[in-house]
Amino acid sequence: MKAEPWYVDAFGGTMNEGYKTYMAEEWGFEKRGDRPLFEKLCLEGAQAGLSWATILAKRENYRSAFHNFDIERCAAMTDDEITDLVQGDGGVIRHRGKLESVRNNAQRVLDLIAEKADDDEAAATPEHGWFDAFLWNFVDDSPVLNEWTGLKDMPAETPTSIAMSKALKARGFKFVGPKICYSLMQACGLVIDHPKDSPEWLAAKARIEARQTPNGRRPPRKKRRS
């Protein structure tokens, strides 16, 4: 009989099939692009004080409520639209601060994009966007292959996630504490936190090493406490 993935054993019987699929097909896979990373930042913020299972079950509702996390459309949302989400039954967590943070953070992403573009008008926009470049710069644009032995060894935050949180807060982002930032880093493949030598860890290692990189990016770095 085939053994269950490590995360099924680690989380016990709390994982439904949707969560298992998310872990198998999304968690720890390299996510690039301004919009996908903005979406993930917003959903991680929505998770604060709750479980990821709760937010994952409502993810499509969030996408519907926030225009599929189109950054410009989220930035332009009105107070009335936010109030409708707070008072309505759109299947999202009706926490005004969290809902308003989506609009705020979209505006801050647009500020960052405008600032970076103005700083060096001669420079081409990075391949995956300015917000992408801002976040991935915290790991030198290369996934960090950690070597935890299991869930109990994985930190809730690290010096890198603390630095990311401080940088985002300095730019006016909200719901971006160090734990939220580290959760984003894990989910989006900035760090690989599958337990060392598990099938998932080995597959992630092989994916990164096999990646064709015309710009000569180095193979995954092995680094603890990233």
Side-chain angles (χ1 to χ4, degrees):
M1 182 177 179
K2 185 178 179 181
E4 292 277 22
W6 71 268
Y7 42 84
V8 174
D9 293 334
F11 293 110
T14 62
M15 301 187 77
N16 59 27
E17 290 304 313
Y19 203 154
K20 291 178 185 178
T21 299
Y22 168 80
M23 290 296 295
E25 299 180 1
E26 295 188 54
W27 196 84
F29 285 78
E30 189 172 344
K31 189 179 293 293
R32 305 302 302 248
D34 287 352
R35 194 211 62 77
L37 288 169
F38 170 68
E39 173 182 315
K40 192 65 174 131
L41 183 70
C42 294
L43 293 177
E44 292 293 349
Q47 180 190 352
L50 303 170
S51 70
W52 176 243
T54 297
I55 302 304
L56 182 61
K58 297 176 180 291
R59 182 165 62 173
E60 290 306 318
N61 298 333
Y62 274 92
R63 287 172 172 169
S64 177
F66 288 106
H67 311 291
N68 202 33
F69 290 96
D70 179 279
I71 297 171
E72 291 187 353
R73 293 185 70 184
C74 286
M77 290 181 71
T78 65
D79 290 343
D80 286 346
E81 288 178 291
I82 300 296
T83 297
D84 286 344
L85 293 177
V86 174
Q87 297 179 349
D89 188 21
V92 300
I93 302 300
R94 293 184 290 178
H95 182 294
R96 181 177 290 276
K98 291 180 178 181
L99 296 172
E100 287 180 342
S101 76
V102 175
R103 177 178 61 184
N104 174 78
N105 291 349
Q107 293 168 349
R108 302 293 76 78
V109 170
L110 294 181
D111 289 345
L112 183 150
I113 292 170
E115 175 190 319
K116 295 295 184 182
D118 289 344
D119 281 348
D120 192 350
E121 294 181 0
T125 300
E127 178 183 1
H128 302 291
W130 287 113
F131 185 54
D132 173 286
F134 177 84
L135 294 179
W136 275 88
N137 184 59
F138 285 93
V139 292
D140 296 331
D141 202 41
S142 181
V144 177
L145 188 66
N146 282 323
E147 298 184 346
W148 317 117
T149 59
L151 182 65
K152 62 179 174 47
D153 297 323
M154 298 177 196
E157 60 185 64
T158 65
T160 303
S161 76
I162 292 170
M164 180 186 289
S165 173
K166 287 181 178 179
L168 288 168
K169 287 179 179 179
R171 290 180 169 275
F173 285 79
K174 297 180 179 179
F175 286 91
V176 288
K179 292 180 175 64
I180 288 173
C181 287
Y182 195 66
S183 184
L184 177 145
M185 292 171 67
Q186 291 176 306
C188 297
L190 283 75
V191 296
I192 304 302
D193 270 5
H194 292 293
K196 184 181 179 183
D197 294 329
S198 66
E200 295 80 15
W201 186 90
L202 294 171
K205 182 174 183 289
R207 280 197 309 272
I208 301 168
E209 290 179 340
R211 183 177 50 196
Q212 299 300 312
T213 54
N215 60 351
R217 283 162 59 190
R218 58 183 177 275
R221 294 174 293 125
K222 294 182 179 180
K223 179 181 176 184
R224 297 180 69 87
R225 301 296 175 189
S226 57

